[in-house]
Amino acid sequence: MNSSRNSDLILSIFSDARTVFSLNDIAMLIGESDFKKLNERLNYYVRKGKLLRPRKGVYVKPNYNPEELVCLLYTPSYISLEYVLQKAGVVFQYDERITAVSYLSRSIDIEGRTCAYRKIKGEILIVTQGISQIGNVNIATPERAFLDILYLNATYYFDNLNSLDKNLITKLLPIYNSKTLTARVKKLLAND
């Protein structure tokens, strides 16, 4: 193996702000069109412990951001639901899963961590209102996560709605185009 090409490859990966890469990402990063050759070079770094490969075609730096991995595995997707609501203090029940919404429902385990995806309608998924992009992570605001979970689970119980911005919830409601959800939200916010 050409060591200067390999050091350029690893230098390019470690110089990049991302911590998670698809094979395509790396090919574009270094301008490589021979995927077979690139895969061999990457596998060399996996064997040497410089990179990890949690899934086929996905490479990560050893100290990768698991939230970034969740967003890359199934695209489009964004982190939402219990994970966001727990961080915002809206639900108190501890759940170590990283939860996201996507075009499919699936639960996968990667290196002892569970990533749970829930399917939501495409026309809701593609609306970026109420979703922040922090680096390479797409994550719902607590208000969007609140609406996502109520849309998917009508009887979900919330511990504390005080931290939510009720005006923002009202602005985000039209995304779901659901009279039932709107009535449910109004009732929940009135009782709070």
Side-chain angles (χ1 to χ4, degrees):
M1 265 190 210
N2 182 331
S3 65
S4 83
R5 274 191 73 189
N6 278 339
S7 61
D8 288 351
L9 168 67
I10 204 76
L11 183 63
S12 295
I13 291 170
F14 277 85
S15 298
D16 198 279
R18 293 172 286 188
T19 64
V20 178
F21 302 86
S22 68
L23 188 60
N24 270 347
D25 293 336
I26 297 171
M28 287 196 302
L29 182 66
I30 65 164
E32 176 66 74
S33 58
D34 186 341
F35 281 88
K36 188 175 187 290
K37 194 181 291 179
L38 179 58
N39 216 15
E40 288 169 7
R41 291 169 64 198
L42 290 167
N43 287 336
Y44 168 80
Y45 284 111
V46 169
R47 285 192 306 275
K48 291 288 182 196
K50 299 243 188 256
L51 292 173
L52 305 171
R53 188 179 57 208
R55 307 269 299 181
K56 189 175 194 273
V58 176
Y59 297 88
V60 299
K61 296 175 185 176
N63 59 345
Y64 74 95
N65 178 351
E67 291 179 352
E68 200 177 326
L69 179 64
V70 168
C71 291
L72 180 108
L73 287 177
Y74 299 104
T75 308
S77 67
Y78 60 90
I79 295 171
S80 186
L81 310 170
E82 293 91 348
Y83 185 80
V84 170
L85 294 174
Q86 182 179 303
K87 282 184 154 194
V90 176
V91 294
F92 300 152
Q93 184 69 41
Y94 179 71
D95 185 345
E96 59 187 29
R97 298 174 309 154
I98 298 178
T99 53
V101 293
S102 187
Y103 60 92
L104 50 70
S105 288
R106 182 157 299 161
S107 187
I108 56 174
D109 289 316
I110 296 177
E111 297 180 345
R113 180 178 278 120
T114 302
C115 309
Y117 297 86
R118 294 279 308 274
K119 181 178 181 170
I120 205 161
K121 278 188 189 169
E123 52 267 30
I124 296 169
L125 185 61
I126 61 167
V127 177
T128 58
Q129 195 181 356
I131 299 170
S132 304
Q133 186 171 11
I134 302 162
N136 299 303
V137 176
N138 297 320
I139 190 162
T141 60
E143 292 77 13
R144 175 81 184 243
F146 167 76
L147 291 171
D148 284 344
I149 212 161
L150 268 181
Y151 180 80
L152 295 169
N153 180 354
T155 60
Y156 195 86
Y157 174 78
F158 301 94
D159 296 302
N160 173 26
L161 297 176
N162 293 330
S163 65
L164 296 177
D165 179 338
K166 281 128 184 99
N167 292 329
L168 183 53
I169 289 171
T170 306
K171 284 180 190 163
L172 293 173
L173 258 172
I175 294 169
Y176 300 86
N177 194 20
S178 166
K179 289 181 176 133
T180 314
L181 177 65
T182 302
R184 204 176 306 136
V185 167
K186 285 191 169 136
K187 185 177 174 189
L188 266 172
L189 296 181
N191 292 340
D192 185 45

